[in-house]
């Protein structure tokens, strides 16, 4: 089984942006663009004789940007898909008063073999 945090960060390293697990940047100098992610669920995908051989892991990736993030979102999708993630959902999170960044939510399934 892989370290999912390391796997996602490594897959997205070429974006040259902060990639944060289950947190957001803090302080007075928040980047114009950054990526956050977390594991939403993990469940058995393949079992035999009471033994799990494959786990389906659902990962949520949030792309944050103060401006247009179309190309960044496309890059993130390509990078994760090339690392064997399957995109299952994508939507824009509505921006509210007081939000400093736009937010695109992407969900991916990853099948992790033992």
């Amino acid at each position: 089984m892989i370290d999912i945090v390391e796997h996602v960060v490594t897959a997205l390293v070429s974006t040259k942006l902060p990639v944060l697990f289950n947190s957001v940047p803090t302080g007075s100098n928040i980047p114009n663009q950054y990526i956050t992610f977390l594991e939403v669920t993990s469940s058995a995908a393949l079992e035999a004789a009471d033994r799990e051989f494959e786990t389906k892991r659902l990962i949520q990736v949030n792309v944050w940007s103060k401006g247009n993030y179309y190309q960044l979102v496309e890059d993130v999708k390509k990078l994760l898909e090339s690392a064997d993630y399957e995109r299952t959902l994508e939507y824009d999170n509505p921006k509210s008063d007081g939000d400093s960044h736009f937010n695109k939510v992407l969900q991916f399934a990853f099948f992790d073999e033992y």
Side-chain angles (χ1 to χ4, degrees):
M1 183 170 251
I2 65 161
D3 177 337
I4 199 70
V5 173
E6 181 180 318
H7 198 252
V8 172
V9 170
T10 300
L12 297 175
V13 73
S14 66
T15 65
K16 297 181 180 167
L17 294 174
V19 178
L20 307 166
F21 172 68
N22 207 14
S23 64
V24 295
T26 58
S28 59
N29 195 15
I30 296 175
N32 288 335
Q33 292 184 319
Y34 61 94
I35 300 165
T36 61
F37 71 97
L38 56 89
E39 185 173 22
V40 177
T41 61
S42 178
S43 60
L46 178 62
E47 291 181 293
D50 293 331
R51 186 170 166 211
E52 187 174 337
F53 289 94
E54 188 175 61
T55 302
K56 178 181 180 182
R57 301 171 86 169
L58 185 63
I59 308 300
Q60 179 170 311
V61 177
N62 293 68
V63 177
W64 303 87
S65 180
K66 288 189 175 185
N68 185 339
Y69 52 39
Y70 172 79
Q71 190 56 56
L72 177 56
V73 168
E74 292 303 307
D75 292 346
V76 167
K77 289 190 293 190
K78 286 178 188 170
L79 289 167
L80 288 174
E81 288 168 354
S82 70
D84 296 326
Y85 290 81
E86 297 176 10
R87 186 168 48 94
T88 60
L89 180 69
E90 176 179 341
Y91 64 90
D92 287 308
N93 203 14
K95 192 171 183 196
S96 302
D97 288 340
D99 288 347
S100 62
H101 289 66
F102 296 100
N103 178 12
K104 178 71 122 187
V105 178
L106 305 163
Q107 289 188 353
F108 295 86
F110 181 81
F111 293 88
D112 196 0
E113 296 179 4
Y114 283 83

